[in-house]
Amino acid sequence: MKLTDILTGNYNAAEWEEKGYQLPNFDREAVVKKTHDEPTWVHFGGGNIFRAFPAAILNDALNTGKYDRGVIVAETFDFEVIDKAYAPYGNLSLLVSLQSSGTIEKKVIASVTEALKADYQFSDWARLVEIFKNPSLQMISFTITEKGYGFNEVDLARGLKPVFAMGKVTALLYERFLAGKYPLTVQSMDNCSHNGDKVRAGVFAYAERWVNDGLVSAAFLDYLRDEKIITFPWSMIDKITPRPHEKVKEMLAADGFEDNNYIETEKHTFTAPFVNAEEVQYLVIEDHYTNGRPPLDLGGALYTTRETVDQVETMKVTTCLNPLHTAMSIYGCMLGYTLISAEMADPDLRAFIQKIGYIEAMSVVTDPGVLNPYEFIGAVINRRLPNPFMPDAPQRIAMDTSQKLPIRFGETIKKYIARGLDMSNLVLIPLTLAGYARYLKGIKDDGTPFEPSPDPMLEEMQAIVAPLEVGRAEQDYSCLRQLYSRADVFGVNLYEAGLGGQIEGMVRELFAGTGAVRATLHKYVTQR
């Protein structure tokens, strides 16, 4: 069983389906031809998240029979991905959905019709220019990570031959401008807040520099600024796509599926002909398009307003996912866990994050309407975090904790203050923040050491709590005022917020000695 067999038609569909493989039920040759002649969507970034999510929901849309165009992928960074993960398999891939039950679902993704290297050194560049000049093009999108939207003085000075992704995109937009000032939507699908603004900032940095340097006319900037022609909508995307999993490879091999080799490029991209990803996914997009759009809603995407996208993002980051991750990572490290899924089998930790989400944070969340906050948390707790296929570790989640606390917990505390709510209703969020002081000591609950995860403020924060010792009966806790008054770390001065004294008391309990972390966690979770 090979992906290339599907391309040639030399396969037994009944055999594939009997083994649980969902095959495309659209005329791929017709879709390839139609997309080549009248392309509607180019996606920048050919990594695993693209194949597992945007390409997959387009595949679902094509399977409905209500759409006839595929997606053209353009890789801006690691060109080996095109050579090793796309070209040998005719741009087909296998999506393996990892179920929390420990089973897998398998679907052949055939929506990618071309895979191009987005760089001037390759002949593919001429094809990209041709596509951008075509009036039919409706949307370009991105999964290149937040770092991919960057630019610097050196690249800006390269003129119309930049190296960075945003420079290349701007050069292609200039070709579209010259061809006829055709409309287009520039859509980020990266997991960062207000992502459309980040794309816009990158594009405008290059365009403004080129205008100032006399390389292009000011009319190009006018073209980019006209929201009736060019738009940069926001989106919220959420789906975990880990590296190819050894257990998945073994399960596919047992089926007789042969395209299960691992691929590691020289730039250390880890991929394979198959992509494994969690079953739960969300893509909420601001519906601000100027030339039509691919109907990704047929595959489950939600189109809505910018305000609603922002509300969904806020709901995820401050209530339904990110705070739960941080709380369980701080305590998971102290309790000796190395897997998030294993933590979910711990009654105290499970109840800890359930009550933070459902009780304390939910009190101030705005329901965005398109996604129910209670159902979102339910999926996180019951399907996402316990998933045995997700080899995520509290040590990874705990990276850069000082940068995460202001948003993940500080924003909730601010809303309590702004709405005049009773601060005594907050118990487990303060316990999380108290746990941070204990975590900084790098001593597990059993008394053995651990290495706190990398954080730009780690040494500074550790220096503050340096006078404290785990297990010392009488000690001066006055250093905690210096820590918990830091609004840059916690989003607010916790003493001014009325929580400082409560948190100090919890810290004293956590520092009592061996077993104190478990005892304190159990005490407050049970009381709550």
Side-chain angles (χ1 to χ4, degrees):
M1 297 170 64
K2 295 183 178 181
L3 291 170
T4 48
D5 292 343
I6 295 173
L7 288 176
T8 61
N10 183 27
Y11 70 104
N12 184 336
E15 178 187 7
W16 285 69
E17 291 168 357
E18 181 182 347
K19 294 181 179 180
Y21 290 76
Q22 299 176 41
L23 300 174
N25 60 13
F26 55 89
D27 185 340
R28 188 171 187 275
E29 287 188 12
V31 168
V32 170
K33 176 68 166 61
K34 186 76 170 177
T35 306
H36 181 276
D37 296 343
E38 299 176 34
T40 54
W41 179 15
V42 172
H43 183 88
F44 289 89
N48 294 333
I49 182 63
F50 163 68
R51 292 190 292 161
F53 200 177
I57 61 176
L58 179 62
N59 197 80
D60 290 345
L62 289 167
N63 278 335
T64 68
K66 298 178 180 179
Y67 194 56
D68 60 359
R69 244 71 64 91
V71 59
I72 298 164
V73 66
E75 176 58 38
T76 62
F77 172 70
D78 193 340
F79 305 120
E80 272 189 273
V81 169
I82 301 298
D83 292 332
K84 295 182 177 180
Y86 283 88
Y89 311 100
N91 302 324
L92 299 184
S93 61
L94 180 71
L95 170 60
V96 181
S97 293
L98 310 173
Q99 312 292 304
S100 55
S101 62
T103 60
I104 61 176
E105 291 183 356
K106 299 158 286 192
K107 181 187 297 184
V108 174
I109 304 302
S111 58
V112 179
T113 59
E114 293 178 72
L116 307 173
K117 300 174 183 178
D119 196 85
Y120 309 96
Q121 64 180 303
F122 302 110
S123 59
D124 289 351
W125 185 258
R127 172 60 181 151
L128 276 168
V129 170
E130 177 186 4
I131 293 167
F132 269 73
K133 287 182 174 181
N134 196 319
S136 67
L137 188 62
Q138 298 174 332
M139 174 177 78
I140 60 172
S141 59
F142 306 85
T143 51
I144 57 176
T145 76
E146 188 170 357
K147 294 178 181 178
Y149 300 120
F151 52 89
N152 61 28
E153 179 60 31
V154 173
D155 207 48
L156 291 171
R158 289 193 176 101
L160 299 179
K161 296 280 187 177
V163 172
F164 288 7
M166 287 297 98
K168 296 174 184 178
V169 168
T170 308
L172 290 166
L173 288 170
Y174 184 56
E175 296 284 357
R176 190 165 181 82
F177 163 76
L178 294 176
K181 300 182 182 179
Y182 298 128
L184 189 67
T185 289
V186 183
Q187 177 71 69
S188 174
M189 294 182 181
D190 270 302
N191 185 21
C192 50
S193 182
H194 302 173
N195 48 19
D197 291 349
K198 292 176 170 57
V199 183
R200 189 179 190 279
V203 167
F204 272 74
Y206 286 92
E208 289 170 356
R209 176 61 178 265
W210 296 347
V211 169
N212 291 337
D213 288 351
L215 299 175
V216 303
S217 72
F220 178 48
L221 266 179
D222 294 336
Y223 166 73
L224 295 176
R225 288 173 176 151
D226 189 342
E227 292 196 358
K228 294 179 181 177
I229 303 176
I230 303 293
T231 56
F232 300 85
W234 295 359
S235 72
M236 190 287 290
I237 188 169
D238 186 19
K239 186 178 182 73
I240 298 174
T241 309
R243 291 179 181 179
H245 199 292
E246 178 65 32
K247 186 176 180 182
V248 172
K249 178 179 179 179
E250 293 171 358
M251 295 171 84
L252 296 177
D255 286 340
F257 182 78
E258 297 181 36
D259 293 330
N260 56 11
N261 55 300
Y262 291 144
I263 299 167
E264 180 182 358
T265 69
E266 289 186 4
K267 293 185 175 180
H268 303 297
T269 298
F270 295 88
T271 186
F274 66 91
V275 183
N276 44 231
E278 67 169 333
E279 59 184 305
V280 180
Q281 60 187 31
Y282 304 96
L283 180 57
V284 184
I285 304 173
E286 177 190 353
D287 196 0
H288 191 190
Y289 288 75
T290 57
N291 197 34
R293 56 172 167 75
L296 298 185
D297 48 332
L298 293 175
L302 300 173
Y303 289 103
T304 184
T305 64
R306 171 169 289 199
E307 179 183 17
T308 301
V309 172
D310 195 38
Q311 290 172 347
V312 171
E313 176 77 21
T314 301
M315 178 190 79
K316 182 186 82 165
V317 171
T318 67
T319 303
C320 296
L321 176 60
N322 297 30
L324 314 188
H325 254 158
T326 293
M328 70 191 305
S329 70
I330 290 173
Y331 278 84
C333 289
M334 293 190 291
L335 292 173
Y337 282 101
T338 57
L339 282 175
I340 291 292
S341 57
E343 286 192 63
M344 291 304 293
D346 184 312
D348 288 333
L349 287 171
R350 186 182 182 93
F352 181 39
I353 65 169
Q354 278 182 316
K355 292 178 179 181
I356 287 176
Y358 281 126
I359 299 174
E360 298 191 5
M362 191 66 75
S363 299
V364 293
V365 75
T366 298
D367 186 341
V370 296
L371 288 176
N372 182 285
Y374 289 92
E375 293 177 0
F376 195 106
I377 290 182
V380 168
I381 291 173
N382 298 316
R383 297 166 63 194
R384 304 183 74 178
L385 298 180
N387 194 321
F389 285 111
M390 295 290 113
D392 215 348
Q395 291 75 19
R396 187 193 74 81
I397 302 294
M399 291 176 61
D400 303 330
T401 293
S402 69
Q403 312 300 295
K404 297 170 180 176
L405 293 172
I407 300 297
R408 299 185 178 190
F409 300 100
E411 290 303 309
T412 293
I413 295 170
K414 288 178 184 177
K415 288 176 182 176
Y416 267 76
I417 295 170
R419 299 179 188 183
L421 299 178
D422 185 354
M423 300 298 283
S424 67
N425 288 330
L426 293 177
V427 176
L428 300 183
I429 288 177
L431 183 64
T432 302
L433 304 182
Y436 181 57
R438 176 68 168 74
Y439 165 87
L440 289 169
K441 298 302 295 185
I443 299 174
K444 294 179 188 177
D445 199 27
D446 63 6
T448 60
F450 73 89
E451 188 72 29
S453 301
D455 186 314
M457 299 181 72
L458 180 60
E459 291 184 7
E460 181 183 351
M461 296 297 103
Q462 286 182 316
I464 294 174
V465 299
L468 301 180
E469 293 182 23
V470 175
R472 192 168 73 188
E474 299 293 332
Q475 57 183 319
D476 182 3
Y477 285 90
S478 61
C479 63
L480 294 179
R481 181 165 287 274
Q482 181 184 353
L483 177 65
Y484 291 113
S485 62
R486 291 284 295 266
D488 59 328
V489 176
F490 300 100
V492 294
N493 180 320
L494 290 163
Y495 292 93
E496 293 177 358
L499 296 172
Q502 176 189 11
I503 293 172
E504 278 193 21
M506 292 173 166
V507 172
R508 290 172 184 264
E509 294 180 64
L510 290 166
F511 271 81
T514 302
V517 173
R518 170 65 69 180
T520 306
L521 175 65
H522 181 76
K523 168 188 171 181
Y524 286 103
V525 165
T526 303
Q527 288 180 356
R528 193 70 176 95

Tab-separated table of all heavy atoms in Angstrom, residues 78-88 117 122:
chain	number	residue	atom	x	y	z
A	78	ASP	N	12.511	25.668	4.193
A	78	ASP	CA	13.221	24.393	4.105
A	78	ASP	C	12.804	23.685	2.823
A	78	ASP	O	11.811	22.955	2.778
A	78	ASP	CB	12.894	23.532	5.332
A	78	ASP	CG	13.839	22.346	5.463
A	78	ASP	OD1	14.465	21.977	4.452
A	78	ASP	OD2	13.940	21.788	6.577
A	79	PHE	N	13.585	23.870	1.778
A	79	PHE	CA	13.198	23.370	0.453
A	79	PHE	C	13.304	21.851	0.336
A	79	PHE	O	12.712	21.258	-0.558
A	79	PHE	CB	14.038	24.065	-0.614
A	79	PHE	CG	13.963	25.565	-0.533
A	79	PHE	CD1	15.103	26.333	-0.324
A	79	PHE	CD2	12.743	26.214	-0.613
A	79	PHE	CE1	15.032	27.710	-0.224
A	79	PHE	CE2	12.652	27.599	-0.520
A	79	PHE	CZ	13.800	28.348	-0.314
A	80	GLU	N	14.041	21.229	1.252
A	80	GLU	CA	14.100	19.770	1.263
A	80	GLU	C	12.729	19.148	1.521
A	80	GLU	O	12.467	18.010	1.122
A	80	GLU	CB	15.068	19.297	2.350
A	80	GLU	CG	16.513	19.183	1.931
A	80	GLU	CD	17.331	18.496	3.005
A	80	GLU	OE1	17.808	19.186	3.921
A	80	GLU	OE2	17.485	17.254	2.928
A	81	VAL	N	11.863	19.893	2.207
A	81	VAL	CA	10.521	19.384	2.480
A	81	VAL	C	9.799	19.095	1.168
A	81	VAL	O	9.105	18.077	1.028
A	81	VAL	CB	9.725	20.395	3.334
A	81	VAL	CG1	8.251	20.011	3.405
A	81	VAL	CG2	10.321	20.472	4.739
A	82	ILE	N	9.970	19.983	0.193
A	82	ILE	CA	9.335	19.774	-1.119
A	82	ILE	C	9.928	18.543	-1.798
A	82	ILE	O	9.204	17.702	-2.345
A	82	ILE	CB	9.519	21.013	-2.014
A	82	ILE	CG1	8.898	22.258	-1.357
A	82	ILE	CG2	8.921	20.768	-3.391
A	82	ILE	CD1	7.413	22.177	-1.140
A	83	ASP	N	11.248	18.422	-1.733
A	83	ASP	CA	11.934	17.319	-2.413
A	83	ASP	C	11.660	15.963	-1.774
A	83	ASP	O	11.622	14.938	-2.475
A	83	ASP	CB	13.447	17.559	-2.406
A	83	ASP	CG	13.855	18.737	-3.278
A	83	ASP	OD1	13.132	19.022	-4.248
A	83	ASP	OD2	14.889	19.369	-2.971
A	84	LYS	N	11.474	15.948	-0.455
A	84	LYS	CA	11.418	14.663	0.241
A	84	LYS	C	10.038	14.282	0.764
A	84	LYS	O	9.758	13.089	0.924
A	84	LYS	CB	12.416	14.674	1.401
A	84	LYS	CG	13.863	14.767	0.936
A	84	LYS	CD	14.839	14.723	2.095
A	84	LYS	CE	16.290	14.731	1.604
A	84	LYS	NZ	17.256	14.696	2.726
A	85	ALA	N	9.181	15.276	1.043
A	85	ALA	CA	7.870	14.962	1.620
A	85	ALA	C	6.721	15.165	0.636
A	85	ALA	O	5.626	14.650	0.870
A	85	ALA	CB	7.626	15.802	2.874
A	86	TYR	N	6.972	15.901	-0.443
A	86	TYR	CA	5.909	16.164	-1.417
A	86	TYR	C	6.163	15.466	-2.760
A	86	TYR	O	5.370	14.639	-3.201
A	86	TYR	CB	5.746	17.673	-1.643
A	86	TYR	CG	5.015	18.371	-0.533
A	86	TYR	CD1	5.689	18.870	0.573
A	86	TYR	CD2	3.636	18.554	-0.577
A	86	TYR	CE1	5.018	19.511	1.606
A	86	TYR	CE2	2.951	19.201	0.437
A	86	TYR	CZ	3.650	19.679	1.531
A	86	TYR	OH	2.977	20.310	2.543
A	87	ALA	N	7.277	15.802	-3.406
A	87	ALA	CA	7.531	15.312	-4.766
A	87	ALA	C	7.483	13.782	-4.899
A	87	ALA	O	6.868	13.262	-5.844
A	87	ALA	CB	8.872	15.854	-5.268
A	88	PRO	N	8.089	13.010	-3.995
A	88	PRO	CA	8.090	11.545	-4.189
A	88	PRO	C	6.700	10.914	-4.099
A	88	PRO	O	6.514	9.781	-4.542
A	88	PRO	CB	8.978	11.045	-3.040
A	88	PRO	CG	9.794	12.218	-2.623
A	88	PRO	CD	8.907	13.405	-2.826
A	117	LYS	N	8.943	25.653	-4.550
A	117	LYS	CA	9.981	26.264	-3.726
A	117	LYS	C	9.941	27.772	-3.952
A	117	LYS	O	10.196	28.244	-5.068
A	117	LYS	CB	11.353	25.706	-4.093
A	117	LYS	CG	11.464	24.198	-3.901
A	117	LYS	CD	12.798	23.680	-4.411
A	117	LYS	CE	12.892	22.168	-4.288
A	117	LYS	NZ	14.171	21.645	-4.825
A	122	PHE	N	15.108	29.060	-7.856
A	122	PHE	CA	14.441	27.897	-8.441
A	122	PHE	C	13.499	28.323	-9.562
A	122	PHE	O	12.935	29.419	-9.537
A	122	PHE	CB	13.653	27.141	-7.374
A	122	PHE	CG	14.485	26.658	-6.221
A	122	PHE	CD1	14.344	27.227	-4.962
A	122	PHE	CD2	15.414	25.647	-6.399
A	122	PHE	CE1	15.108	26.787	-3.896
A	122	PHE	CE2	16.194	25.199	-5.333
A	122	PHE	CZ	16.050	25.771	-4.081
